[in-house]
Amino acid sequence: MRILFLLLAAALAGALTLFAFAPYRMFWLMPLCLAALIELLQREPRRAFWIGYVWGVSAYASNFKWIYDSLHDVAGLPAWIAAPLVLLLPAYLGLYPGLASWIACRIDSRPSVRWLIAFPAAWELGEWLRSWVMTGFPWAAAGYSQITESPLSGYAPIGGIHLVNYLVALSAGGLVMLARGGMRQRLAILLAASLVWSSGFWLREREWTTPEGKPITVALAQGNIAQEMKWSPENLEQSLLTYYRQVAKTRADLMILPETALPLFLDDLPSGYLTMMRGEAKRSGMALASGVPRRTNDGRGYLNAVVALSDPKMPYYAKDHLVPFGEFVPLPGLIGWIYQYMDMPLSGFSRGGADQPPLELAGHKVAFNVCYEDSFGEELIGPAAKAGILANVSNLAWFGKSEAMSQHLQLSQARSLETGRYMLRATNNGMTAIIRPDGEISAIAAPFTTQVLTGFAESHQGLTPYMQVGNLPVVAGCGALLLLALALGWRRRGRY
């Protein structure tokens, strides 16, 4: 009965993490939810893996419930298949909190070693592993809850989101030790916590990159075309007309249309359509880029691309980090049968390549990323170093009116902080936004509306500390801390 109560409490603490992230942004809730997990582990360390696992499954199921909307409501997968599939991702991701909890409890029995050294390090290593194992899925990492309301967000330009992950877990351990430690230990923890969090305030005011050149006017199209209509032949003309009218009415230096805004292969677009789009852009003196599927040069595959339509040579960026199950089919011999129940066009994209140059638009170098590519901070370091502006094109109509688009916006804010660059987000139905280099939103379009968001952006030059070192220092530091905790545990056991 006791273990059942602990597991139910772990599930509740995990589920509450939903409110720590956008759109709710209760950043203070994440350290509390992790502190609740630690308190449960302290009560029953022999069941550490299962307590951590249940916490993780509940947290990720709560945060990613929009997967059901995508599979069932939009893709048309029957409920009897969609419901179990929705649980597969949380069931896998829950392994990382489970293992982190087990490692912390196995290394040493002393609370100070467990919760101030072993647990934060193991937690962050788990977050890092899940960001790349099996192509990675880093959404809902603890650090994102701190972007941008928390002082801890100031550490993102120093060590990326992984440093923020670590500090959130360390803060949770500190909260538990405040309740359990002696007076001297409590004072030391309060002093250290005050130093870390107050330094975050100072770091948030620091400018790591500098503006270069004149600001430009930017226009970001939001067509608001429902996913079930997007690929319908009956609605093709309306989709193309929507974006043509937006381009024709816009006056800006740079205009960006969202992911697959033009829902045909580039060479299958109606005769004269590109000429008309290019003509309108030229008439306004405007650089124009749009998301549009494009065949590979050998004609054997196709790419999820962003094409510079205003340039007669039509240079492009093609998405490289593809979404498993959505943009490519892993293990097709095993799971390919599922796709016969789904309305999922273009689920076999090819990768664009890791080293693609930025696009030259309106006299600026713009590094594009497509949809959830901006979930991977280290992958954007190279493109950002070559460009002055970042841009993301997305189509989140797959996820209905859920928290997904707000969570995705928060990821983009983290990338702006890490790189010290503007991030221009053009989306089909939200969240279309202009994000400043400090991660704050300077302009945003109301979701589920048809409009063109206009504002200003400017190129930035220079490298943040994170861009210079990547994830290695944080990962190596956490590995060293685990070894330290292990050595302390061995030393203590050797005395008895």
Side-chain angles (χ1 to χ4, degrees):
M1 194 66 182
R2 170 183 168 84
I3 187 59
L4 179 60
F5 170 79
L6 294 176
L7 292 176
L8 288 173
L12 176 61
L16 287 174
T17 61
L18 169 68
F19 301 101
F21 299 97
Y24 311 103
R25 295 182 184 263
M26 301 178 187
F27 71 88
W28 46 268
L29 189 58
M30 180 57 74
L32 292 179
C33 289
L34 280 176
L37 170 61
I38 291 173
E39 186 61 35
L40 295 172
L41 294 172
Q42 183 68 23
R43 292 170 183 265
E44 190 60 70
R46 293 175 300 174
R47 302 287 191 272
F49 173 81
W50 291 110
I51 292 172
Y53 182 73
V54 168
W55 187 99
V57 171
S58 178
Y60 301 129
S62 174
N63 278 277
F64 306 148
K65 60 182 184 295
W66 39 261
I67 295 176
Y68 183 84
D69 299 334
S70 175
L71 293 177
H72 179 263
D73 298 347
V74 179
L77 197 63
W80 65 272
I81 301 179
L85 288 179
V86 168
L87 293 176
L88 282 181
L89 182 62
Y92 157 66
L93 294 176
L95 294 173
Y96 295 100
L99 289 172
S101 301
W102 179 80
I103 288 170
C105 290
R106 288 282 294 180
I107 280 181
D108 200 300
S109 61
R110 289 170 293 181
S112 58
V113 177
R114 274 182 179 173
W115 312 131
L116 296 179
I117 301 178
F119 180 80
W123 186 271
E124 160 46 25
L125 288 176
E127 297 280 39
W128 172 70
L129 283 170
R130 78 176 178 94
S131 74
W132 61 267
V133 172
M134 294 196 297
T135 80
F137 195 83
W139 282 43
Y144 287 117
S145 65
Q146 309 301 297
I147 308 295
T148 58
E149 286 69 21
S150 166
L152 294 184
S153 66
Y155 289 91
I158 306 293
I161 199 65
H162 289 288
L163 178 57
V164 186
N165 289 336
Y166 171 77
L167 292 174
V168 173
L170 180 63
S171 298
L175 285 173
V176 172
M177 291 307 300
L178 281 175
R180 291 184 170 273
M183 182 59 67
R184 292 180 61 183
Q185 193 174 48
R186 290 177 180 176
L187 288 174
I189 290 172
L190 283 173
L191 180 61
S194 299
L195 179 63
V196 170
W197 282 71
S198 61
S199 296
F201 279 112
W202 175 76
L203 290 170
R204 285 179 60 174
E205 302 301 318
R206 175 74 185 272
E207 294 183 0
W208 299 100
T209 57
T210 56
E212 181 181 34
K214 296 180 179 180
I216 60 172
T217 55
V218 297
L220 308 175
Q222 182 172 287
N224 193 34
I225 298 169
Q227 189 62 32
E228 58 268 21
M229 297 173 58
K230 186 176 180 67
W231 300 100
S232 168
E234 295 79 11
N235 293 288
L236 174 62
E237 182 178 350
Q238 182 61 39
S239 296
L240 296 178
L241 186 59
T242 295
Y243 286 111
Y244 171 75
R245 287 173 174 169
Q246 289 185 326
V247 171
K249 293 178 180 179
T250 299
R251 300 292 181 269
D253 296 313
L254 169 62
M255 184 172 188
I256 302 174
L257 278 56
E259 178 186 12
T260 59
L262 311 181
L264 283 176
F265 286 113
L266 185 64
D267 54 357
D268 287 340
L269 286 167
S271 176
Y273 183 78
L274 290 179
T275 302
M276 292 168 58
M277 294 282 273
R278 190 175 296 123
E280 294 294 344
K282 185 177 181 180
R283 191 174 298 115
S284 305
M286 180 171 68
L288 176 65
S290 176
V292 56
R294 184 192 188 280
R295 289 186 173 88
T296 56
N297 292 333
D298 61 10
R300 297 179 179 178
Y302 47 88
L303 305 166
N304 191 349
V306 181
V307 179
L309 299 181
S310 54
D311 187 333
K313 297 181 180 178
M314 290 199 291
Y316 65 92
Y317 167 81
K319 186 175 184 180
D320 184 61
H321 198 134
L322 303 176
V323 182
F325 304 101
E327 292 174 320
F328 76 94
V329 183
L331 304 174
L334 181 63
I335 65 171
W337 63 272
I338 294 176
Y339 287 77
Q340 66 182 306
Y341 295 99
M342 302 172 69
D343 180 16
M344 188 172 287
L346 299 180
S347 56
F349 282 106
S350 301
R351 294 181 58 181
D355 189 21
Q356 301 180 63
L359 298 182
E360 295 272 359
L361 296 165
H364 293 259
K365 293 181 178 180
V366 182
F368 280 88
N369 51 87
V370 179
C371 200
Y372 101 138
E373 279 189 310
D374 67 352
S375 307
F376 305 93
E378 196 166 42
E379 292 182 10
L380 265 63
I381 290 176
K386 300 174 184 176
I389 297 174
L390 298 176
N392 177 274
V393 296
S394 294
N395 172 32
L396 298 182
W398 281 105
F399 306 114
K401 295 183 178 181
S402 67
E403 293 89 356
M405 60 175 59
S406 295
Q407 293 172 1
H408 193 209
L409 173 66
Q410 204 165 32
L411 301 182
S412 289
Q413 291 179 269
R415 302 294 84 83
S416 285
L417 270 169
E418 290 173 345
T419 60
R421 263 69 171 171
Y422 269 87
M423 175 72 86
L424 310 178
R425 287 176 49 85
T427 73
N428 178 27
N429 61 347
M431 296 284 187
T432 298
I434 300 171
I435 303 172
R436 299 198 304 262
D438 61 0
E440 297 296 335
I441 298 168
S442 66
I444 188 167
F448 307 107
T449 60
T450 303
Q451 63 171 292
V452 176
L453 178 70
T454 58
F456 295 90
E458 56 187 343
S459 289
H460 276 66
Q461 63 176 351
L463 304 178
T464 64
Y466 175 67
M467 291 176 71
Q468 298 177 54
V469 299
N471 294 332
L472 180 60
V474 174
V475 173
C478 287
L481 286 172
L482 271 187
L483 291 176
L484 172 62
L486 189 61
L488 291 172
W490 280 343
R491 182 180 178 185
R492 183 169 185 267
R493 285 190 290 270
R495 292 177 178 177
Y496 297 97

